[in-house]
Amino acid sequence: MKFIGSTLVAFTIAALSSLPSQSEAFTVGLATTKPTTSSFVPQSLSKRNTNTNNLNQSTSSNLMMSYSVGIVGATGAVGKEIRQCLEKSSFPTDKLRIFGSERSKGKVVESDKFGSITVELFDVEKARECNVVFLAVSGDFALEHAKAISDNDGAVVIDNSSAFRYEKDIPLVVPEINGQCTKGARLIANPNCTTAIGLMALWPLHKAFQLKKILMSTYQAASGAGQPGMDELTEGTKTYLNDTDEQPKNEIFAYPLPFNVIPQIDKFQDNGYTKEEMKVTWESRKICGLDDEFPISCTAVRIPTIRAHSEVIVVETEKDVDMDVARQVLEDAPGVKVLDNQEKLEYPMPLTATGSYDVEVGRLRESLVFGKKGIEFFVCGDQLLRGAALNAVLVAEEMNTNGALAEMFN
């Protein structure tokens, strides 16, 4: 017999009774908030446009061009979000094609912007007919097909898997940090969700104060395991609250996730860290151009929330930190929304970050450990957006802006 306070039970049962079916769960994302801006571009991304001449230099010629875009894996969690991001994006798409498996072939996907799209059976030659192809598939699939699509003047491939992230000659890109690396590249890797979210705050602080060490603890939603992970949490919570002796099933996670936290994501490595934790170290160094020995340590924990990852980040800096300057640096940073008002109890949460294009940053304070040369803060970002689909579409936008696509397909 499980004991839970009656108020909590009533609230949770009411919430679960209103949840969509498994097939609908991703479409609504179980979000309680919507993006706050009317356009695709995050509100804070517009800061980048006012601080550089990059757009003015490139868009005059690029606005005349439009591109054929393909999505492989568009019926999965990330793939659906890529399509929805393209719906709101200013990226000049003249045709959107969706490629799927034998099971998905022939299905019709309705799109406000692109009309009715019939899912095509994936074929390398068909994918090569596109200018830009987003891969929202497994690493094994990407390893088998990505280069076949992109090599020999093929399509530009933006891959969401981990297949190519650590290859020296393949750019691993967060557009606000190293977007220029896309020039001349036909295969680009999208970073791990945890890395992409954290770096949105870490990069501007690194430029201002020169980071010396990074310590991170992450609290990652079920969405990190895709739609099956979200479904397992939803169904498992319903099972738990039925007040029977039946235990929630765990086929996706190592243990049942409802009312639990699991301090393991991905496989353990020889050094005692998990691969998910090491991804933060490896990818942060590559994206930011840091030394191979730059100290970055992460502990990754799976928590029973549906969507949006949270991160506690502690940094040691080379320079003394003025907290007012640090706050202003973050407020000026593209893709960042500062939520840090103690009096009003404003701080980042999955509740507010879900469905938002910007990464929320708050709880900013001088570190008690590192003193004037340290900052501690809390970050929250939508794993399926900034941590995946949004970043991928912004890569394509960056390649249009910096002229990389025009040089390839002019």
mmCIF file of all heavy atoms in Angstrom, residues 342-389:
data_model
loop_
_atom_site.group_PDB
_atom_site.id
_atom_site.type_symbol
_atom_site.label_atom_id
_atom_site.label_comp_id
_atom_site.label_asym_id
_atom_site.label_seq_id
_atom_site.Cartn_x
_atom_site.Cartn_y
_atom_site.Cartn_z
ATOM 1 N N GLN A 342 14.539 37.293 -6.769
ATOM 2 C CA GLN A 342 14.252 36.597 -5.516
ATOM 3 C C GLN A 342 12.958 37.078 -4.882
ATOM 4 O O GLN A 342 12.193 36.283 -4.323
ATOM 5 C CB GLN A 342 15.417 36.778 -4.546
ATOM 6 C CG GLN A 342 16.715 36.151 -5.018
ATOM 7 C CD GLN A 342 17.851 36.357 -4.028
ATOM 8 O OE1 GLN A 342 17.632 36.646 -2.861
ATOM 9 N NE2 GLN A 342 19.084 36.204 -4.506
ATOM 10 N N GLU A 343 12.705 38.379 -4.946
ATOM 11 C CA GLU A 343 11.511 38.922 -4.314
ATOM 12 C C GLU A 343 10.237 38.378 -4.945
ATOM 13 O O GLU A 343 9.239 38.123 -4.259
ATOM 14 C CB GLU A 343 11.527 40.453 -4.387
ATOM 15 C CG GLU A 343 12.627 41.089 -3.551
ATOM 16 C CD GLU A 343 12.590 42.606 -3.623
ATOM 17 O OE1 GLU A 343 11.719 43.146 -4.350
ATOM 18 O OE2 GLU A 343 13.422 43.242 -2.962
ATOM 19 N N LYS A 344 10.262 38.192 -6.247
ATOM 20 C CA LYS A 344 9.082 37.691 -6.959
ATOM 21 C C LYS A 344 9.121 36.170 -7.151
ATOM 22 O O LYS A 344 8.243 35.604 -7.797
ATOM 23 C CB LYS A 344 8.969 38.368 -8.323
ATOM 24 C CG LYS A 344 8.714 39.865 -8.243
ATOM 25 C CD LYS A 344 8.560 40.463 -9.646
ATOM 26 C CE LYS A 344 8.269 41.950 -9.581
ATOM 27 N NZ LYS A 344 8.110 42.539 -10.938
ATOM 28 N N LEU A 345 10.144 35.527 -6.603
ATOM 29 C CA LEU A 345 10.325 34.078 -6.741
ATOM 30 C C LEU A 345 10.373 33.677 -8.217
ATOM 31 O O LEU A 345 9.748 32.694 -8.643
ATOM 32 C CB LEU A 345 9.217 33.313 -6.017
ATOM 33 C CG LEU A 345 9.026 33.621 -4.529
ATOM 34 C CD1 LEU A 345 7.944 32.733 -3.939
ATOM 35 C CD2 LEU A 345 10.338 33.456 -3.765
ATOM 36 N N GLU A 346 11.149 34.420 -8.984
ATOM 37 C CA GLU A 346 11.323 34.126 -10.401
ATOM 38 C C GLU A 346 12.665 33.436 -10.616
ATOM 39 O O GLU A 346 13.717 33.984 -10.268
ATOM 40 C CB GLU A 346 11.248 35.412 -11.233
ATOM 41 C CG GLU A 346 9.866 36.040 -11.258
ATOM 42 C CD GLU A 346 9.823 37.321 -12.065
ATOM 43 O OE1 GLU A 346 10.900 37.832 -12.434
ATOM 44 O OE2 GLU A 346 8.699 37.822 -12.322
ATOM 45 N N TYR A 347 12.613 32.244 -11.187
ATOM 46 C CA TYR A 347 13.812 31.478 -11.490
ATOM 47 C C TYR A 347 13.450 30.432 -12.542
ATOM 48 O O TYR A 347 12.271 30.171 -12.815
ATOM 49 C CB TYR A 347 14.384 30.813 -10.236
ATOM 50 C CG TYR A 347 13.374 30.422 -9.190
ATOM 51 C CD1 TYR A 347 12.447 29.400 -9.431
ATOM 52 C CD2 TYR A 347 13.320 31.079 -7.968
ATOM 53 C CE1 TYR A 347 11.513 29.040 -8.483
ATOM 54 C CE2 TYR A 347 12.386 30.727 -7.010
ATOM 55 C CZ TYR A 347 11.486 29.709 -7.268
ATOM 56 O OH TYR A 347 10.542 29.355 -6.320
ATOM 57 N N PRO A 348 14.445 29.833 -13.170
ATOM 58 C CA PRO A 348 14.167 28.844 -14.219
ATOM 59 C C PRO A 348 13.484 27.597 -13.669
ATOM 60 O O PRO A 348 13.810 27.121 -12.581
ATOM 61 C CB PRO A 348 15.559 28.499 -14.761
ATOM 62 C CG PRO A 348 16.429 29.644 -14.360
ATOM 63 C CD PRO A 348 15.894 30.116 -13.047
ATOM 64 N N MET A 349 12.543 27.073 -14.431
ATOM 65 C CA MET A 349 11.867 25.818 -14.086
ATOM 66 C C MET A 349 11.452 25.102 -15.372
ATOM 67 O O MET A 349 11.172 25.757 -16.384
ATOM 68 C CB MET A 349 10.612 26.082 -13.246
ATOM 69 C CG MET A 349 10.837 26.711 -11.881
ATOM 70 S SD MET A 349 9.267 26.903 -10.977
ATOM 71 C CE MET A 349 8.421 28.121 -11.995
ATOM 72 N N PRO A 350 11.346 23.772 -15.342
ATOM 73 C CA PRO A 350 10.794 23.063 -16.497
ATOM 74 C C PRO A 350 9.401 23.553 -16.872
ATOM 75 O O PRO A 350 9.036 23.569 -18.042
ATOM 76 C CB PRO A 350 10.761 21.604 -16.028
ATOM 77 C CG PRO A 350 11.858 21.506 -15.020
ATOM 78 C CD PRO A 350 11.852 22.835 -14.308
ATOM 79 N N LEU A 351 8.635 23.960 -15.876
ATOM 80 C CA LEU A 351 7.280 24.449 -16.116
ATOM 81 C C LEU A 351 7.259 25.621 -17.084
ATOM 82 O O LEU A 351 6.393 25.717 -17.959
ATOM 83 C CB LEU A 351 6.640 24.861 -14.781
ATOM 84 C CG LEU A 351 5.159 25.238 -14.811
ATOM 85 C CD1 LEU A 351 4.308 23.999 -15.058
ATOM 86 C CD2 LEU A 351 4.755 25.901 -13.501
ATOM 87 N N THR A 352 8.236 26.524 -16.954
ATOM 88 C CA THR A 352 8.275 27.712 -17.806
ATOM 89 C C THR A 352 9.189 27.537 -19.007
ATOM 90 O O THR A 352 9.010 28.208 -20.021
ATOM 91 C CB THR A 352 8.744 28.932 -16.994
ATOM 92 O OG1 THR A 352 9.959 28.616 -16.290
ATOM 93 C CG2 THR A 352 7.695 29.328 -15.962
ATOM 94 N N ALA A 353 10.155 26.626 -18.912
ATOM 95 C CA ALA A 353 11.085 26.434 -20.030
ATOM 96 C C ALA A 353 10.500 25.550 -21.123
ATOM 97 O O ALA A 353 10.910 25.632 -22.287
ATOM 98 C CB ALA A 353 12.394 25.824 -19.524
ATOM 99 N N THR A 354 9.542 24.703 -20.787
ATOM 100 C CA THR A 354 8.939 23.819 -21.774
ATOM 101 C C THR A 354 8.262 24.630 -22.876
ATOM 102 O O THR A 354 7.445 25.504 -22.608
ATOM 103 C CB THR A 354 7.907 22.892 -21.111
ATOM 104 O OG1 THR A 354 8.578 22.020 -20.214
ATOM 105 C CG2 THR A 354 7.155 22.072 -22.154
ATOM 106 N N GLY A 355 8.643 24.335 -24.107
ATOM 107 C CA GLY A 355 8.069 25.039 -25.245
ATOM 108 C C GLY A 355 8.721 26.365 -25.552
ATOM 109 O O GLY A 355 8.340 27.031 -26.514
ATOM 110 N N SER A 356 9.717 26.762 -24.767
ATOM 111 C CA SER A 356 10.378 28.049 -24.977
ATOM 112 C C SER A 356 11.636 27.863 -25.816
ATOM 113 O O SER A 356 12.395 26.906 -25.620
ATOM 114 C CB SER A 356 10.746 28.683 -23.632
ATOM 115 O OG SER A 356 11.504 29.864 -23.819
ATOM 116 N N TYR A 357 11.887 28.787 -26.721
ATOM 117 C CA TYR A 357 13.086 28.723 -27.549
ATOM 118 C C TYR A 357 14.320 29.168 -26.779
ATOM 119 O O TYR A 357 15.428 28.707 -27.050
ATOM 120 C CB TYR A 357 12.916 29.600 -28.788
ATOM 121 C CG TYR A 357 11.830 29.128 -29.719
ATOM 122 C CD1 TYR A 357 10.884 30.025 -30.215
ATOM 123 C CD2 TYR A 357 11.743 27.803 -30.099
ATOM 124 C CE1 TYR A 357 9.879 29.601 -31.060
ATOM 125 C CE2 TYR A 357 10.747 27.363 -30.937
ATOM 126 C CZ TYR A 357 9.816 28.262 -31.426
ATOM 127 O OH TYR A 357 8.828 27.838 -32.252
ATOM 128 N N ASP A 358 14.165 30.079 -25.834
ATOM 129 C CA ASP A 358 15.304 30.562 -25.060
ATOM 130 C C ASP A 358 15.630 29.616 -23.912
ATOM 131 O O ASP A 358 14.755 28.937 -23.368
ATOM 132 C CB ASP A 358 15.024 31.950 -24.486
ATOM 133 C CG ASP A 358 15.015 33.034 -25.540
ATOM 134 O OD1 ASP A 358 15.663 32.845 -26.580
ATOM 135 O OD2 ASP A 358 14.352 34.062 -25.330
ATOM 136 N N VAL A 359 16.895 29.611 -23.500
ATOM 137 C CA VAL A 359 17.331 28.903 -22.302
ATOM 138 C C VAL A 359 17.200 29.852 -21.122
ATOM 139 O O VAL A 359 17.653 30.998 -21.178
ATOM 140 C CB VAL A 359 18.789 28.426 -22.456
ATOM 141 C CG1 VAL A 359 19.344 27.936 -21.119
ATOM 142 C CG2 VAL A 359 18.878 27.325 -23.502
ATOM 143 N N GLU A 360 16.545 29.392 -20.066
ATOM 144 C CA GLU A 360 16.361 30.222 -18.873
ATOM 145 C C GLU A 360 17.570 30.088 -17.952
ATOM 146 O O GLU A 360 18.070 28.989 -17.723
ATOM 147 C CB GLU A 360 15.099 29.804 -18.123
ATOM 148 C CG GLU A 360 13.822 29.979 -18.925
ATOM 149 C CD GLU A 360 12.584 29.542 -18.175
ATOM 150 O OE1 GLU A 360 12.717 28.945 -17.071
ATOM 151 O OE2 GLU A 360 11.469 29.798 -18.672
ATOM 152 N N VAL A 361 18.017 31.220 -17.402
ATOM 153 C CA VAL A 361 19.153 31.243 -16.479
ATOM 154 C C VAL A 361 18.771 32.069 -15.253
ATOM 155 O O VAL A 361 18.210 33.161 -15.381
ATOM 156 C CB VAL A 361 20.414 31.854 -17.132
ATOM 157 C CG1 VAL A 361 21.587 31.815 -16.157
ATOM 158 C CG2 VAL A 361 20.773 31.106 -18.407
ATOM 159 N N GLY A 362 19.048 31.552 -14.067
ATOM 160 C CA GLY A 362 18.741 32.278 -12.844
ATOM 161 C C GLY A 362 19.527 31.746 -11.658
ATOM 162 O O GLY A 362 20.486 30.982 -11.818
ATOM 163 N N ARG A 363 19.089 32.147 -10.430
ATOM 164 C CA ARG A 363 19.792 31.803 -9.192
ATOM 165 C C ARG A 363 21.271 32.186 -9.275
ATOM 166 O O ARG A 363 22.159 31.503 -8.771
ATOM 167 C CB ARG A 363 19.669 30.314 -8.864
ATOM 168 C CG ARG A 363 18.277 29.795 -8.548
ATOM 169 C CD ARG A 363 17.657 30.387 -7.285
ATOM 170 N NE ARG A 363 18.611 30.508 -6.176
ATOM 171 C CZ ARG A 363 18.971 29.502 -5.386
ATOM 172 N NH1 ARG A 363 18.473 28.292 -5.577
ATOM 173 N NH2 ARG A 363 19.819 29.720 -4.400
ATOM 174 N N LEU A 364 21.552 33.328 -9.903
ATOM 175 C CA LEU A 364 22.927 33.794 -10.075
ATOM 176 C C LEU A 364 23.491 34.270 -8.748
ATOM 177 O O LEU A 364 22.882 35.088 -8.045
ATOM 178 C CB LEU A 364 22.966 34.941 -11.088
ATOM 179 C CG LEU A 364 22.795 34.553 -12.549
ATOM 180 C CD1 LEU A 364 22.287 35.735 -13.355
ATOM 181 C CD2 LEU A 364 24.113 34.056 -13.110
ATOM 182 N N ARG A 365 24.697 33.782 -8.416
ATOM 183 C CA ARG A 365 25.315 34.201 -7.162
ATOM 184 C C ARG A 365 26.808 33.918 -7.187
ATOM 185 O O ARG A 365 27.272 33.047 -7.930
ATOM 186 C CB ARG A 365 24.675 33.480 -5.974
ATOM 187 C CG ARG A 365 24.755 31.951 -6.041
ATOM 188 C CD ARG A 365 23.595 31.341 -5.261
ATOM 189 N NE ARG A 365 23.702 29.896 -5.140
ATOM 190 C CZ ARG A 365 23.219 29.036 -6.037
ATOM 191 N NH1 ARG A 365 22.639 29.478 -7.144
ATOM 192 N NH2 ARG A 365 23.327 27.730 -5.816
ATOM 193 N N GLU A 366 27.522 34.690 -6.383
ATOM 194 C CA GLU A 366 28.953 34.449 -6.230
ATOM 195 C C GLU A 366 29.160 33.142 -5.488
ATOM 196 O O GLU A 366 28.473 32.844 -4.505
ATOM 197 C CB GLU A 366 29.595 35.595 -5.452
ATOM 198 C CG GLU A 366 31.091 35.465 -5.236
ATOM 199 C CD GLU A 366 31.659 36.614 -4.423
ATOM 200 O OE1 GLU A 366 31.597 37.766 -4.917
ATOM 201 O OE2 GLU A 366 32.150 36.366 -3.294
ATOM 202 N N SER A 367 30.110 32.338 -5.942
ATOM 203 C CA SER A 367 30.357 31.034 -5.346
ATOM 204 C C SER A 367 30.998 31.166 -3.970
ATOM 205 O O SER A 367 31.967 31.919 -3.794
ATOM 206 C CB SER A 367 31.275 30.214 -6.265
ATOM 207 O OG SER A 367 31.696 29.030 -5.617
ATOM 208 N N LEU A 368 30.466 30.422 -3.005
ATOM 209 C CA LEU A 368 31.081 30.395 -1.681
ATOM 210 C C LEU A 368 32.402 29.636 -1.697
ATOM 211 O O LEU A 368 33.240 29.805 -0.803
ATOM 212 C CB LEU A 368 30.126 29.738 -0.673
ATOM 213 C CG LEU A 368 28.869 30.534 -0.302
ATOM 214 C CD1 LEU A 368 27.989 29.718 0.631
ATOM 215 C CD2 LEU A 368 29.251 31.859 0.355
ATOM 216 N N VAL A 369 32.601 28.790 -2.691
ATOM 217 C CA VAL A 369 33.827 28.003 -2.788
ATOM 218 C C VAL A 369 34.933 28.804 -3.469
ATOM 219 O O VAL A 369 36.068 28.856 -2.987
ATOM 220 C CB VAL A 369 33.567 26.692 -3.563
ATOM 221 C CG1 VAL A 369 34.876 25.925 -3.764
ATOM 222 C CG2 VAL A 369 32.553 25.834 -2.826
ATOM 223 N N PHE A 370 34.619 29.437 -4.586
ATOM 224 C CA PHE A 370 35.639 30.122 -5.377
ATOM 225 C C PHE A 370 35.652 31.635 -5.169
ATOM 226 O O PHE A 370 36.506 32.329 -5.730
ATOM 227 C CB PHE A 370 35.438 29.819 -6.866
ATOM 228 C CG PHE A 370 35.552 28.362 -7.203
ATOM 229 C CD1 PHE A 370 34.478 27.671 -7.742
ATOM 230 C CD2 PHE A 370 36.723 27.667 -6.955
ATOM 231 C CE1 PHE A 370 34.573 26.326 -8.049
ATOM 232 C CE2 PHE A 370 36.832 26.316 -7.263
ATOM 233 C CZ PHE A 370 35.757 25.643 -7.803
ATOM 234 N N GLY A 371 34.733 32.160 -4.378
ATOM 235 C CA GLY A 371 34.733 33.579 -4.059
ATOM 236 C C GLY A 371 34.558 34.463 -5.280
ATOM 237 O O GLY A 371 33.722 34.202 -6.141
ATOM 238 N N LYS A 372 35.372 35.519 -5.365
ATOM 239 C CA LYS A 372 35.276 36.481 -6.466
ATOM 240 C C LYS A 372 35.584 35.853 -7.820
ATOM 241 O O LYS A 372 35.263 36.418 -8.857
ATOM 242 C CB LYS A 372 36.246 37.648 -6.228
ATOM 243 C CG LYS A 372 35.828 38.594 -5.111
ATOM 244 C CD LYS A 372 34.602 39.388 -5.513
ATOM 245 C CE LYS A 372 34.249 40.429 -4.457
ATOM 246 N NZ LYS A 372 33.006 41.167 -4.833
ATOM 247 N N LYS A 373 36.208 34.729 -7.804
ATOM 248 C CA LYS A 373 36.545 34.042 -9.054
ATOM 249 C C LYS A 373 35.630 32.834 -9.284
ATOM 250 O O LYS A 373 36.055 31.783 -9.770
ATOM 251 C CB LYS A 373 38.007 33.610 -9.059
ATOM 252 C CG LYS A 373 38.993 34.760 -9.274
ATOM 253 C CD LYS A 373 40.405 34.262 -9.402
ATOM 254 C CE LYS A 373 41.340 35.331 -9.971
ATOM 255 N NZ LYS A 373 41.397 36.540 -9.153
ATOM 256 N N GLY A 374 34.353 32.997 -8.947
ATOM 257 C CA GLY A 374 33.414 31.900 -9.148
ATOM 258 C C GLY A 374 31.981 32.357 -9.227
ATOM 259 O O GLY A 374 31.596 33.363 -8.606
ATOM 260 N N ILE A 375 31.178 31.626 -10.006
ATOM 261 C CA ILE A 375 29.752 31.909 -10.158
ATOM 262 C C ILE A 375 28.994 30.589 -10.057
ATOM 263 O O ILE A 375 29.461 29.550 -10.543
ATOM 264 C CB ILE A 375 29.422 32.539 -11.537
ATOM 265 C CG1 ILE A 375 30.409 33.643 -11.902
ATOM 266 C CG2 ILE A 375 27.992 33.070 -11.567
ATOM 267 C CD1 ILE A 375 30.239 34.145 -13.328
ATOM 268 N N GLU A 376 27.829 30.643 -9.428
ATOM 269 C CA GLU A 376 26.918 29.507 -9.416
ATOM 270 C C GLU A 376 25.580 29.961 -9.978
ATOM 271 O O GLU A 376 25.122 31.066 -9.703
ATOM 272 C CB GLU A 376 26.752 28.957 -7.997
ATOM 273 C CG GLU A 376 28.068 28.521 -7.362
ATOM 274 C CD GLU A 376 27.880 27.679 -6.113
ATOM 275 O OE1 GLU A 376 26.769 27.126 -5.933
ATOM 276 O OE2 GLU A 376 28.835 27.568 -5.327
ATOM 277 N N PHE A 377 24.938 29.088 -10.761
ATOM 278 C CA PHE A 377 23.639 29.454 -11.340
ATOM 279 C C PHE A 377 22.869 28.215 -11.758
ATOM 280 O O PHE A 377 23.401 27.089 -11.749
ATOM 281 C CB PHE A 377 23.819 30.414 -12.524
ATOM 282 C CG PHE A 377 24.762 29.942 -13.601
ATOM 283 C CD1 PHE A 377 24.289 29.282 -14.733
ATOM 284 C CD2 PHE A 377 26.133 30.174 -13.500
ATOM 285 C CE1 PHE A 377 25.158 28.865 -15.724
ATOM 286 C CE2 PHE A 377 27.009 29.757 -14.495
ATOM 287 C CZ PHE A 377 26.517 29.097 -15.604
ATOM 288 N N PHE A 378 21.612 28.423 -12.099
ATOM 289 C CA PHE A 378 20.692 27.355 -12.474
ATOM 290 C C PHE A 378 20.182 27.623 -13.882
ATOM 291 O O PHE A 378 19.833 28.755 -14.219
ATOM 292 C CB PHE A 378 19.522 27.310 -11.486
ATOM 293 C CG PHE A 378 18.636 26.103 -11.612
ATOM 294 C CD1 PHE A 378 19.060 24.868 -11.171
ATOM 295 C CD2 PHE A 378 17.359 26.214 -12.151
ATOM 296 C CE1 PHE A 378 18.242 23.749 -11.267
ATOM 297 C CE2 PHE A 378 16.531 25.108 -12.254
ATOM 298 C CZ PHE A 378 16.968 23.871 -11.807
ATOM 299 N N VAL A 379 20.146 26.582 -14.693
ATOM 300 C CA VAL A 379 19.759 26.707 -16.098
ATOM 301 C C VAL A 379 18.639 25.713 -16.389
ATOM 302 O O VAL A 379 18.641 24.588 -15.862
ATOM 303 C CB VAL A 379 20.956 26.409 -17.027
ATOM 304 C CG1 VAL A 379 20.530 26.369 -18.485
ATOM 305 C CG2 VAL A 379 22.055 27.443 -16.832
ATOM 306 N N CYS A 380 17.703 26.108 -17.223
ATOM 307 C CA CYS A 380 16.649 25.206 -17.651
ATOM 308 C C CYS A 380 16.347 25.460 -19.123
ATOM 309 O O CYS A 380 16.223 26.618 -19.544
ATOM 310 C CB CYS A 380 15.388 25.428 -16.811
ATOM 311 S SG CYS A 380 14.262 24.031 -16.820
ATOM 312 N N GLY A 381 16.265 24.382 -19.911
ATOM 313 C CA GLY A 381 15.996 24.538 -21.334
ATOM 314 C C GLY A 381 15.242 23.348 -21.886
ATOM 315 O O GLY A 381 15.358 22.226 -21.378
ATOM 316 N N ASP A 382 14.464 23.605 -22.922
ATOM 317 C CA ASP A 382 13.670 22.552 -23.543
ATOM 318 C C ASP A 382 14.592 21.609 -24.318
ATOM 319 O O ASP A 382 15.193 22.001 -25.321
ATOM 320 C CB ASP A 382 12.613 23.153 -24.471
ATOM 321 C CG ASP A 382 11.580 22.136 -24.917
ATOM 322 O OD1 ASP A 382 11.973 21.046 -25.357
ATOM 323 O OD2 ASP A 382 10.372 22.440 -24.835
ATOM 324 N N GLN A 383 14.653 20.377 -23.876
ATOM 325 C CA GLN A 383 15.572 19.394 -24.462
ATOM 326 C C GLN A 383 15.262 19.124 -25.930
ATOM 327 O O GLN A 383 16.158 18.868 -26.731
ATOM 328 C CB GLN A 383 15.505 18.091 -23.650
ATOM 329 C CG GLN A 383 16.305 16.949 -24.217
ATOM 330 C CD GLN A 383 15.478 16.075 -25.144
ATOM 331 O OE1 GLN A 383 14.255 16.064 -25.054
ATOM 332 N NE2 GLN A 383 16.144 15.359 -26.030
ATOM 333 N N LEU A 384 13.995 19.186 -26.301
ATOM 334 C CA LEU A 384 13.621 18.885 -27.674
ATOM 335 C C LEU A 384 13.762 20.086 -28.600
ATOM 336 O O LEU A 384 13.716 19.935 -29.822
ATOM 337 C CB LEU A 384 12.186 18.348 -27.728
ATOM 338 C CG LEU A 384 11.979 16.999 -27.034
ATOM 339 C CD1 LEU A 384 10.499 16.659 -26.948
ATOM 340 C CD2 LEU A 384 12.733 15.895 -27.757
ATOM 341 N N LEU A 385 13.955 21.274 -28.031
ATOM 342 C CA LEU A 385 14.111 22.488 -28.840
ATOM 343 C C LEU A 385 15.573 22.910 -28.862
ATOM 344 O O LEU A 385 16.333 22.510 -29.727
ATOM 345 C CB LEU A 385 13.186 23.588 -28.308
ATOM 346 C CG LEU A 385 11.694 23.327 -28.555
ATOM 347 C CD1 LEU A 385 10.825 24.346 -27.837
ATOM 348 C CD2 LEU A 385 11.381 23.314 -30.044
ATOM 349 N N ARG A 386 15.998 23.716 -27.906
ATOM 350 C CA ARG A 386 17.407 24.129 -27.908
ATOM 351 C C ARG A 386 18.321 22.921 -27.834
ATOM 352 O O ARG A 386 19.417 22.926 -28.406
ATOM 353 C CB ARG A 386 17.667 25.085 -26.736
ATOM 354 C CG ARG A 386 19.142 25.378 -26.480
ATOM 355 C CD ARG A 386 19.900 25.787 -27.729
ATOM 356 N NE ARG A 386 19.610 27.123 -28.178
ATOM 357 C CZ ARG A 386 20.214 27.703 -29.209
ATOM 358 N NH1 ARG A 386 21.132 27.039 -29.907
ATOM 359 N NH2 ARG A 386 19.887 28.923 -29.580
ATOM 360 N N GLY A 387 17.899 21.879 -27.166
ATOM 361 C CA GLY A 387 18.734 20.693 -27.048
ATOM 362 C C GLY A 387 18.715 19.787 -28.251
ATOM 363 O O GLY A 387 19.411 18.769 -28.271
ATOM 364 N N ALA A 388 17.940 20.132 -29.294
ATOM 365 C CA ALA A 388 17.875 19.250 -30.462
ATOM 366 C C ALA A 388 17.353 19.999 -31.683
ATOM 367 O O ALA A 388 18.116 20.555 -32.462
ATOM 368 C CB ALA A 388 16.993 18.033 -30.144
ATOM 369 N N ALA A 389 16.025 20.025 -31.856
ATOM 370 C CA ALA A 389 15.418 20.495 -33.107
ATOM 371 C C ALA A 389 15.707 21.960 -33.392
ATOM 372 O O ALA A 389 16.070 22.333 -34.517
ATOM 373 C CB ALA A 389 13.906 20.258 -33.063
#
